[in-house]
Amino acid sequence: MMTRVSLKNVLSAVINQGAAEARAWIFGHQLNPAGNKTPHKILRMKLFGEKVAQWYPHDIKKDDPLVMARQEQDLVV
């Protein structure tokens, strides 16, 4: 038996797909009809590298007396 697809169902599917594409374009969303995992959510996240960098001292070399002594010897020679 052959399944019959009505013109109404086909048009409805096309209109819904077009509406989804238009909505994604207007609001800047990504279409993912297959539901596959994408990195888009991670890439849209606010960068936090500068916040993490604030947790650490600005120059670790200055905290180590051996490194500072070695640099002073290099300057003298």
Side-chain angles (χ1 to χ4, degrees):
M1 216 182 218
M2 185 181 235
T3 57
R4 184 175 254 181
V5 178
S6 70
L7 180 61
K8 183 178 179 182
N9 290 343
V10 171
L11 287 176
S12 175
V14 169
I15 289 171
N16 286 339
Q17 182 180 4
E21 290 175 3
R23 185 171 47 248
W25 182 75
I26 290 169
F27 295 110
H29 297 158
Q30 293 291 325
L31 285 179
N32 190 5
N36 298 331
K37 285 190 172 186
T38 63
H40 191 275
K41 182 177 179 180
I42 295 169
L43 292 174
R44 285 184 49 188
M45 288 175 57
K46 185 178 177 182
L47 298 177
F48 54 86
E50 291 183 19
K51 185 80 171 175
V52 173
Q54 291 175 0
W55 298 343
Y56 297 97
H58 64 283
D59 191 7
I60 296 174
K61 292 179 184 177
K62 291 182 180 177
D63 294 338
D64 188 4
L66 295 175
V67 172
M68 294 302 294
R70 207 173 308 131
Q71 285 180 350
E72 290 175 6
Q73 287 178 356
D74 291 342
L75 291 175
V76 173
V77 174

